[in-house]
Amino acid sequence: MAPDVFDRETMLDLSVNVIPLFIILFFIVLFAAVAPFGYSLVDTTIQMALLVIPFIGLAILTYFSGKAIAEAEAKMEERGDLAHAENDTPGAHAGESTPDAPDAPDATEGDAESAVETRSTSDQD
Amino acid sequence: MDLSGQLALTVLMGVFLVGVAVLLTRVEDWRSYTPLASGGVYGDETGHAVQHKPSGITRWLTTVDHKDIGMLYGAYAIIAFVWGGLAVLIMRTELADPAATLIEAGFYNGLLTSHGITMLFLFGTPIIAAFSNYFVPLLIGADDMAFPRINAIAFWLLPPGALLIWAGFLIPGMAPSQTSWTMYTPLSIEQTHAATDLMLLGLHLTGVSATMGAINFIATIFTERGDDVNWANLDIFSWTILTQSGLILFAFPLLGSALIMLLLDRNFGTTFFTVDGGSPILWQHLFWFFGHPEVYILVLPPMGIVSYVLPKFSGRKLFGFKFVVYSTLAIGVLSFGVWAHHMFSTGIDPRVRASFMAVSMAIAIPSAVKTFNWITTMWNGKIRLTTPMLFCIGFVSNFIIGGVTGVFLAAIPIDLVLHDTYYVVGHFHYIVMGAIAFAGFAGLYYWYPIFTGKMYQRTLAKAHFWLWMVGTNLTFLAMLLLGYEGMPRRYATYTFDAGIVNLDVITALHQVATLGAFLIAFGTIVWVFNFVQSWYEGPDVGEDPWGLEDSTLYGREFEWHRNRLRTAVADGGEEDVVTDGGNEE
Ligand code: HEM
Ligand SMILES: [Cu+2]
């Protein structure tokens, strides 16, 4: 893992997938320790494989997607337009990069009010 | 009638159909669709330097333009939706009382099979393809799909597929298939209906179509992105389409193989899925290894639509954009590890069963994360209750009920009680109808101005929403309760031991469900009327129908819309039609 790609912020983003990984891990440990139906070579192997395979699959996909996204972001940062990251409308100009800040809602609100008026006169029903 | 008479009739019919086709190609200027939002009409061959698309029906038969193909998918899906809806209305009417008063059980089973298969394969998958074909190239700045001709071929496999699937109803004297959408063996092998073979072939065609489309989307999103679109700012809808395409690539070929084995079992006596051969359980494994990813194939893109549209009317960007992306990918992987939660009651090894339960619990997390992101996006936002927004909110609320009931079912002890009751029907309809269809309508209303250059009628749109919201919850809540009462699914008639359940309660709940279904049907009529009438007579929209231009939420597809309007022939300044408002609720 290149530490510069997986910085703190990326790790935080990836944490959303760490939770299901953790749940699966929990059950792997649980089923290894407690086996009310006993152990049998074939069935227990299948049982574990059913948990381990999705675990590995999810870990791999999370790693590569996280890497691809973080690298793309780093490139944008070099070009000096990180503002575009986290924005779901790539073409539009983004105000800031914090995802949870309301973006100038007032500008749209005025429009909406007037829109209601124009619409009610031009309504056809 | 003797054979030569029939032959003559067939030839005559063929000549007649060719005649109709020729006639249609000569109809110019189809009013229903002008790609230039105002002014221009395609097909006027007046010697422009630009090469025009052919006019009339020929255009639609030969088009390889992703927007046209998107429209074709949409029209196709809506026809299928009406077919599947009519089938279920007959069924619900039949269930309004315990006895078989309206139709007999065999016909009920045929309708049930047709309804399920139609809604999932002929409506669900294609309506998503309608949006993705139209918008993914626009959103990622591509000129078209990577393989435009394959895109067209993929669509044109669908109509013959639908005809085959519906053959049992369309060909006189042929009884419709009665296998239910899961086609469980050994029933599906033993049933001799020829319609079942045709249905399996039709399903196979639609699977080939979906796979071709998926490969095309993967190639398009990987290779055709514009210079300024990368993995970090790819829009959320394209992300979900990419994941969905990956799922299709792994799931549908497996269904295709299983279908072929089933056809061989039916026609050539192979024993893949028979008790004395392979095993009926084998069919269930193969089917659900496809079938569970299929439900996520159906739900991920609608989640993408909601993640895309909901922020527009909350006045802020999607909260935790990357959470939503990563959780989409997580669902993509994990959905392949939970198939046997549909088979808890088949007697598979309890240790194996427990693993499927564990992964089913894990997969609920990414779905829940998305739900919290949508709610947080709305929290303290400047919410405008436009029709697309109403459908988004309806999506979130129905999805919560559908998801929570799913987690209950994923717990083995609960599932053993509720399996194959109406509870399961209620669970998945909260999701397929309450969520997936709602998101589809959020998208249809949001992008209606782009499709048509017109604005729909606001009041009718809201009537549609409320009819659907009330109807959906009446119908499917009643089903959840029916499940608790022990009403089994897939029956045309019902009767109960009075010592266990009061039949009147069951009947009343069925009647509530039927009432809800008719509210939904009525809402659908309102919607079709609104869309068709507004297409002809609605006011032209301006460049910014949703009043988003001054915010950061103006999407790339609306920039494209604006360019299209600006380059269109000037038409003397129509009044602007802005959003359908909503603050007045
Ligand atoms: C997200 C979208 C979902 C969709 C579209 C969906 C759809 C469906 C469908 C169509 C069925 C019925 C299959 C049949 O015909 O027998 C079903 C059953 C089931 N679903 Fe879901 N579901 C979703 C989410 C979930 C979740 C999140 C869980 C649990 C974590 C879940 C657990 C189950 C279980 C256990 C059954 C089997 C019930 C039974 O037959 O006893 N589902 N679902
Ligand atoms: Cu499932």
Side-chain angles (χ1 to χ4, degrees):
Chain A
M1 274 196 206
D4 45 314
V5 174
F6 285 90
D7 56 10
R8 230 181 73 91
E9 206 188 316
T10 307
M11 293 310 282
L12 193 70
D13 289 333
L14 294 180
S15 66
V16 54
N17 284 8
V18 172
I19 303 170
L21 283 175
F22 181 79
I23 293 180
I24 297 177
L25 195 67
F26 170 80
F27 279 104
I28 292 178
V29 175
L30 182 74
F31 292 157
V34 187
F37 299 98
Y39 300 93
S40 109
L41 183 61
V42 174
D43 289 324
T44 309
T45 310
I46 296 178
Q47 178 186 25
M48 285 301 163
L50 283 168
L51 294 171
V52 171
I53 293 171
F55 184 93
I56 295 175
L58 182 56
I60 291 177
L61 188 71
T62 307
Y63 173 77
F64 281 106
S65 56
K67 195 167 152 198
I69 292 177
E71 279 172 1
E73 255 172 6
K75 248 186 228 136
M76 280 198 297
E77 209 163 357
E78 269 168 37
R79 294 205 313 257
D81 53 358
L82 185 64
H84 284 191
E86 310 236 35
N87 185 0
D88 60 343
T89 60
H93 169 72
E96 69 274 277
S97 57
T98 33
D100 48 338
D103 304 300
D106 296 338
T108 56
E109 192 205 9
D111 269 28
E113 297 287 5
S114 63
V116 172
E117 267 139 47
T118 7
R119 279 296 297 151
S120 46
T121 44
S122 62
D123 230 355
Q124 320 149 52
D125 39 336
Chain B
M1 202 189 301
D2 63 0
L3 190 67
S4 61
Q6 280 190 349
L7 266 177
L9 251 184
T10 312
V11 172
L12 206 68
M13 197 64 197
V15 172
F16 174 71
L17 287 176
V18 171
V20 171
V22 170
L23 203 72
L24 284 174
T25 59
R26 292 176 171 263
V27 180
E28 303 219 345
D29 179 15
W30 284 53
R31 251 194 93 190
S32 60
Y33 181 70
T34 42
L36 304 173
S38 50
V41 171
Y42 271 132
D44 45 342
E45 249 113 82
T46 47
H48 291 304
V50 225
Q51 203 197 339
H52 284 293
K53 291 176 191 171
S55 60
I57 198 87
T58 313
R59 163 177 174 202
W60 292 104
L61 291 177
T62 58
T63 183
V64 293
D65 178 336
H66 69 97
K67 296 189 294 301
D68 287 351
I69 291 175
M71 298 293 265
L72 287 172
Y73 268 110
Y76 173 86
I78 287 166
I79 293 170
F81 183 69
V82 171
W83 172 286
L86 290 176
V88 85
L89 284 182
I90 301 174
M91 287 154 57
R92 282 268 35 121
T93 312
E94 166 58 46
L95 290 168
D97 71 332
T101 20
L102 184 67
I103 52 178
E104 43 94 28
F107 189 59
Y108 180 95
N109 295 344
L111 291 174
L112 179 85
T113 307
S114 185
H115 168 75
I117 297 223
T118 301
M119 287 308 196
L120 291 168
F121 296 98
L122 308 182
F123 165 69
T125 321
I127 194 75
I128 291 164
F131 288 117
S132 51
N133 272 284
Y134 205 106
F135 289 109
V136 165
L138 296 184
L139 287 169
I140 66 173
D143 295 332
D144 202 318
M145 299 289 287
F147 310 111
R149 284 199 180 76
I150 291 187
N151 200 27
I153 295 170
F155 171 77
W156 285 107
L157 289 179
L158 284 178
L163 290 178
L164 285 169
I165 288 172
W166 297 337
F169 292 93
L170 301 177
I171 300 174
M174 188 183 274
S177 172
Q178 300 185 18
T179 57
S180 154
W181 87 282
T182 51
M183 299 166 280
Y184 278 166
T185 52
L187 176 74
S188 61
I189 297 172
E190 288 159 359
Q191 273 188 3
T192 51
H193 305 70
T196 306
D197 294 302
L198 298 182
M199 185 183 84
L200 295 177
L201 287 168
L203 266 180
H204 198 79
L205 268 187
T206 64
V208 172
S209 155
T211 312
M212 286 166 79
I215 293 171
N216 213 344
F217 277 110
I218 294 174
T220 305
I221 295 176
F222 265 90
T223 64
E224 303 286 308
R225 273 173 290 140
D227 293 333
D228 54 341
V229 182
N230 59 30
W231 294 124
N233 64 10
L234 184 66
D235 67 281
I236 189 69
F237 181 63
S238 301
W239 266 114
T240 56
I241 291 295
L242 181 64
T243 314
Q244 181 222 25
S245 300
L247 287 174
I248 289 178
L249 197 59
F250 285 103
F252 266 95
L254 180 110
L255 175 72
S257 319
L259 284 175
I260 288 180
M261 288 188 260
L262 182 53
L263 275 167
L264 290 174
D265 266 9
R266 287 175 53 83
N267 294 295
F268 299 103
T270 53
T271 52
F272 290 108
F273 305 124
T274 51
V275 180
D276 48 353
S279 148
I281 303 294
L282 175 61
W283 168 262
Q284 294 199 25
H285 277 296
L286 294 178
F287 181 83
W288 287 116
F289 187 82
F290 149 82
H292 188 84
E294 164 70 5
V295 306
Y296 284 100
I297 287 169
L298 288 170
V299 85
L300 284 177
M303 286 171 160
I305 293 178
V306 169
S307 304
Y308 190 82
V309 173
L310 184 138
K312 314 282 183 202
F313 303 105
S314 305
R316 63 205 301 189
K317 279 180 291 187
L318 180 65
F319 177 84
F321 177 77
K322 273 186 264 169
F323 278 8
V324 180
V325 171
Y326 290 126
S327 59
T328 301
L329 295 171
I331 290 177
V333 177
L334 295 182
S335 63
F336 283 103
V338 299
W339 75 88
H341 68 205
H342 297 271
M343 304 163 60
F344 283 155
S345 63
T346 53
I348 50 178
D349 186 86
R351 285 162 290 219
V352 173
R353 214 163 53 177
S355 285
F356 282 105
M357 175 169 91
V359 182
S360 300
M361 296 296 161
I363 204 175
I365 301 297
S367 304
V369 165
K370 285 167 187 293
T371 311
F372 288 126
N373 279 303
W374 294 319
I375 294 174
T376 319
T377 306
M378 289 190 281
W379 197 272
N380 272 340
K382 290 273 178 195
I383 293 183
R384 290 190 287 152
L385 291 177
T386 60
T387 307
M389 184 62 171
L390 287 174
F391 273 102
C392 285
I393 297 172
F395 169 98
V396 175
S397 99
N398 291 336
F399 183 75
I400 291 173
I401 305 183
V404 170
T405 49
V407 177
F408 276 89
L409 285 174
I412 297 168
I414 300 182
D415 185 75
L416 292 180
V417 175
L418 293 174
H419 175 66
D420 266 344
T421 68
Y422 263 77
Y423 186 88
V424 176
V425 185
H427 152 65
F428 69 79
H429 277 89
Y430 258 105
I431 290 179
V432 291
M433 183 73 188
I436 295 173
F438 271 55
F441 280 102
L444 283 174
Y445 279 106
Y446 182 67
W447 285 312
Y448 187 79
I450 289 194
F451 295 135
T452 64
K454 308 277 186 165
M455 185 45 102
Y456 57 81
Q457 298 159 57
R458 180 167 63 111
T459 320
L460 288 182
K462 294 204 167 138
H464 169 207
F465 168 76
W466 285 111
L467 282 165
W468 267 48
M469 191 67 191
V470 174
T472 301
N473 278 284
L474 273 185
T475 304
F476 303 123
L477 197 66
M479 289 190 180
L480 292 179
L481 298 176
L482 277 168
Y484 283 127
E485 296 288 338
M487 171 78 202
R489 58 192 285 211
R490 300 183 176 131
Y491 280 78
T493 59
Y494 45 94
T495 179
F496 285 86
D497 184 337
I500 301 170
V501 183
N502 184 348
L503 185 62
D504 291 341
V505 175
I506 299 280
T507 311
L509 284 170
H510 270 301
Q511 283 163 352
V512 171
T514 305
L515 172 73
F518 276 93
L519 288 183
I520 295 171
F522 187 58
T524 310
I525 294 171
V526 172
W527 162 68
V528 173
F529 173 81
N530 187 1
F531 266 33
V532 172
Q533 209 235 344
S534 303
W535 202 319
Y536 283 105
E537 290 166 12
D540 288 341
V541 282
E543 296 176 349
D544 183 24
W546 300 113
L548 294 170
E549 202 155 19
D550 298 327
S551 71
T552 58
L553 298 165
Y554 196 64
R556 192 185 268 272
E557 82 281 24
F558 276 98
E559 275 172 24
W560 172 85
H561 171 71
R562 176 170 60 198
N563 286 339
R564 179 175 62 170
L565 287 184
R566 291 202 175 154
T567 52
V569 195
D571 64 337
E574 294 275 337
E575 84 182 290
D576 263 18
V577 180
V578 208
T579 81
D580 78 342
N583 281 342
E584 86 280 16
E585 290 294 339

